Amino acid sequence: MMIKAIFYKEWIKTRWYWLLALLLSIGFAGYAMLRVARVYSMKGAEHLWIVMIQRDAIFVDLLQFVPLFVGLALALVQFVPEMHHKSFKLTLHLPIRATRAVTAMLSFGSVLLIATFALSLALMWGYLQSVLAPELWQHIILSTLPWYLAGLAAYLLTAWISLEPTWKHRVINGVIALLLLRIYFMSPAPESYNSFLPLLAVVTLSYSLLSMLSLTRFRDGRQD
Amino acid sequence: MIRTCKIFFGCLIVLLLLWQIPSIYNFFAVKPTDTPFTLYSSVVGKFAVLQHGEDKKMTYKDHTGGEYTEDQFDSILPTFYYRQLITDGRFPDSICGRAVTPRDVQISNFNMRISPLDLNAPKIGVQQLLESMSGRVDLTLPDDVFRITDSGIEFVKMATNEIDDRKSDRFTEMMLSKGFVFPAYRMSGNPTDRKEYDEGYVMLDANRKLFHIKQTVGRAYVRAIELPKDLVVEHLFITEFPSRKWLCFMTDVEGNFWVVERDSYAIKRTEIPQFNPEAESMLIIGNMFDWTVRVNRANEQCYYAINADDYTLIDSLTYSTPNKTMPGLKFTTTKDKFVKPRFVN
């Protein structure tokens, strides 16, 4: 019951931003597909396929940092006002373990983000599979997965920084977060992350553990 | 719970330090080893070495210390500097006792690069098979692509994204009739229209038997190539050089380097010492007399001079290129195009 209430609270906090994020995410994915459709109608399917096979083009490069900013902004919208207005303390006084409450908050945000990204991927798949061979649309979709994982990582790491009570640690955590986010953008080569993706997904989800450290420091009363 | 979080955080910090400290050190402290430009000269029977001297001027030497002027250097490498020699009116009638024309030199010269970056890279599962005998001078790209499956070869029409069953069946039947066992273990081709002629693909089938496959007048040309006994081929490199002398180069599981001659399909072993294309890069600068083969190994750069007629080793030269980088965690290397964590020495 209490978890449901937390979910409702998070929904109230984030619903307008989520609508914006959804429009932004789908808008960029749709624009990338429009560009593919334009190449298809202007120069024909042959040109599209050959450019992909011979030049390793994937046509969706403009999406690279979109999930990152969507995830980062969701964490800011969800956690910064609560920390700023000191209302996070109230959440910790709810009749539920603090770690469970924070886990519920992070789960809500993660599911919202995954749903947003899944809709973008579904939109891309819906169009691409109609004009490209499976090898080619899989090539595009697999190449974008590290970017979407980066979006989830940006959300969880920003949540960790936002929940941290002192500025000194926020800066240190920020540097660590930047280095961790760099891992998702190490190579522009399509499909270069394929064998690393399962491990990267597990590590990304594990970043939710870091928020518990900030929570502990918050409960211990650490202040600047 | 908190203990788990602290352990996870500690592990992340350790990994970040293992990654960042070596990479910062290597960026600022390690300078790449500079090795001189080296080519074998059949005229003097030595490696010719071109490098910057201490006063930043170019020096022209051979590997035994003999010094040359720039003009002499052009003359001892006549197949490499043939355009300069023609311009100066110094192109010889014969080289090493063999009558030559600039056209002979131009046709027989070739460069070939083999890099682990090309082998250890993600591959798209579809390729193009050009028409090798269109009757036109210029090659044109086909309107379909093919994929090799567990049971055959499938051609897909690009315009409709549909499988061309008739063509697929025709090629599959021809390949099966020649003894090809699907799927292919390896294949090498150069599907571009920016070349003089097309030899299609060389493929190793599931049993590592070698085949030459191309499309001639819309039909499948499939040729099984007899391999010497006990030769287990690992990698294939189609050549398509202007001389049309070779079909492809190959390496076997023991690191030997082989050539397949184009007209006779004869397979000959070269005396290039062991080479692993998955870890080492190779550059071959060939001419009608010799090949200069450069192999970049872990701590040395090796040059081999190979006789262009019988592929015997004429001479070799090694430059030490000690690896001074600090070992550490890396996500990318110069040996492949994959991103994954690995500890690199």
Side-chain angles (χ1 to χ4, degrees), chain B residues 5-15:
Chain B
C5 299
K6 282 183 176 169
I7 291 170
F8 176 69
F9 181 67
C11 291
L12 277 184
I13 296 300
V14 170
L15 288 175

mmCIF file of all heavy atoms in Angstrom, chain B residues 5-15:
data_model
loop_
_atom_site.group_PDB
_atom_site.id
_atom_site.type_symbol
_atom_site.label_atom_id
_atom_site.label_comp_id
_atom_site.label_asym_id
_atom_site.label_seq_id
_atom_site.Cartn_x
_atom_site.Cartn_y
_atom_site.Cartn_z
ATOM 1 N N CYS B 5 26.411 -2.230 -0.823
ATOM 2 C CA CYS B 5 26.555 -0.974 -1.575
ATOM 3 C C CYS B 5 27.982 -0.447 -1.465
ATOM 4 O O CYS B 5 28.557 0.031 -2.447
ATOM 5 C CB CYS B 5 25.589 0.091 -1.052
ATOM 6 S SG CYS B 5 23.877 -0.392 -1.225
ATOM 7 N N LYS B 6 28.545 -0.529 -0.248
ATOM 8 C CA LYS B 6 29.915 -0.029 -0.046
ATOM 9 C C LYS B 6 30.915 -0.875 -0.827
ATOM 10 O O LYS B 6 31.866 -0.335 -1.420
ATOM 11 C CB LYS B 6 30.260 -0.049 1.444
ATOM 12 C CG LYS B 6 29.638 1.120 2.197
ATOM 13 C CD LYS B 6 30.030 1.131 3.643
ATOM 14 C CE LYS B 6 29.456 2.372 4.326
ATOM 15 N NZ LYS B 6 29.570 2.328 5.777
ATOM 16 N N ILE B 7 30.716 -2.206 -0.832
ATOM 17 C CA ILE B 7 31.628 -3.087 -1.589
ATOM 18 C C ILE B 7 31.535 -2.757 -3.081
ATOM 19 O O ILE B 7 32.549 -2.632 -3.771
ATOM 20 C CB ILE B 7 31.287 -4.573 -1.330
ATOM 21 C CG1 ILE B 7 31.644 -4.935 0.116
ATOM 22 C CG2 ILE B 7 32.018 -5.494 -2.311
ATOM 23 C CD1 ILE B 7 31.156 -6.291 0.568
ATOM 24 N N PHE B 8 30.296 -2.552 -3.571
ATOM 25 C CA PHE B 8 30.107 -2.223 -4.992
ATOM 26 C C PHE B 8 30.791 -0.899 -5.327
ATOM 27 O O PHE B 8 31.499 -0.786 -6.342
ATOM 28 C CB PHE B 8 28.607 -2.145 -5.311
ATOM 29 C CG PHE B 8 28.304 -1.720 -6.718
ATOM 30 C CD1 PHE B 8 28.602 -2.552 -7.790
ATOM 31 C CD2 PHE B 8 27.739 -0.477 -6.990
ATOM 32 C CE1 PHE B 8 28.342 -2.159 -9.092
ATOM 33 C CE2 PHE B 8 27.473 -0.079 -8.288
ATOM 34 C CZ PHE B 8 27.782 -0.924 -9.339
ATOM 35 N N PHE B 9 30.624 0.090 -4.460
ATOM 36 C CA PHE B 9 31.249 1.393 -4.674
ATOM 37 C C PHE B 9 32.780 1.259 -4.688
ATOM 38 O O PHE B 9 33.463 1.817 -5.557
ATOM 39 C CB PHE B 9 30.808 2.365 -3.569
ATOM 40 C CG PHE B 9 31.371 3.745 -3.717
ATOM 41 C CD1 PHE B 9 30.998 4.557 -4.777
ATOM 42 C CD2 PHE B 9 32.286 4.236 -2.801
ATOM 43 C CE1 PHE B 9 31.526 5.832 -4.916
ATOM 44 C CE2 PHE B 9 32.812 5.514 -2.935
ATOM 45 C CZ PHE B 9 32.433 6.309 -3.989
ATOM 46 N N GLY B 10 33.306 0.466 -3.742
ATOM 47 C CA GLY B 10 34.754 0.228 -3.674
ATOM 48 C C GLY B 10 35.268 -0.414 -4.959
ATOM 49 O O GLY B 10 36.307 -0.006 -5.496
ATOM 50 N N CYS B 11 34.524 -1.408 -5.465
ATOM 51 C CA CYS B 11 34.925 -2.089 -6.712
ATOM 52 C C CYS B 11 34.947 -1.092 -7.878
ATOM 53 O O CYS B 11 35.867 -1.100 -8.698
ATOM 54 C CB CYS B 11 33.968 -3.230 -7.042
ATOM 55 S SG CYS B 11 34.110 -4.591 -5.894
ATOM 56 N N LEU B 12 33.915 -0.220 -7.918
ATOM 57 C CA LEU B 12 33.858 0.777 -9.002
ATOM 58 C C LEU B 12 35.077 1.701 -8.952
ATOM 59 O O LEU B 12 35.697 1.983 -9.984
ATOM 60 C CB LEU B 12 32.595 1.632 -8.869
ATOM 61 C CG LEU B 12 31.291 1.092 -9.437
ATOM 62 C CD1 LEU B 12 30.191 2.128 -9.279
ATOM 63 C CD2 LEU B 12 31.426 0.722 -10.913
ATOM 64 N N ILE B 13 35.445 2.137 -7.752
ATOM 65 C CA ILE B 13 36.597 3.046 -7.602
ATOM 66 C C ILE B 13 37.877 2.339 -8.048
ATOM 67 O O ILE B 13 38.694 2.912 -8.786
ATOM 68 C CB ILE B 13 36.712 3.532 -6.130
ATOM 69 C CG1 ILE B 13 35.487 4.359 -5.749
ATOM 70 C CG2 ILE B 13 37.989 4.340 -5.920
ATOM 71 C CD1 ILE B 13 35.252 5.604 -6.581
ATOM 72 N N VAL B 14 38.053 1.097 -7.623
ATOM 73 C CA VAL B 14 39.257 0.346 -8.005
ATOM 74 C C VAL B 14 39.326 0.217 -9.536
ATOM 75 O O VAL B 14 40.361 0.458 -10.156
ATOM 76 C CB VAL B 14 39.268 -1.048 -7.331
ATOM 77 C CG1 VAL B 14 40.370 -1.921 -7.910
ATOM 78 C CG2 VAL B 14 39.457 -0.897 -5.823
ATOM 79 N N LEU B 15 38.193 -0.133 -10.157
ATOM 80 C CA LEU B 15 38.174 -0.294 -11.623
ATOM 81 C C LEU B 15 38.467 1.030 -12.330
ATOM 82 O O LEU B 15 39.212 1.069 -13.315
ATOM 83 C CB LEU B 15 36.820 -0.846 -12.075
ATOM 84 C CG LEU B 15 36.570 -2.320 -11.723
ATOM 85 C CD1 LEU B 15 35.162 -2.738 -12.099
ATOM 86 C CD2 LEU B 15 37.576 -3.230 -12.413
#
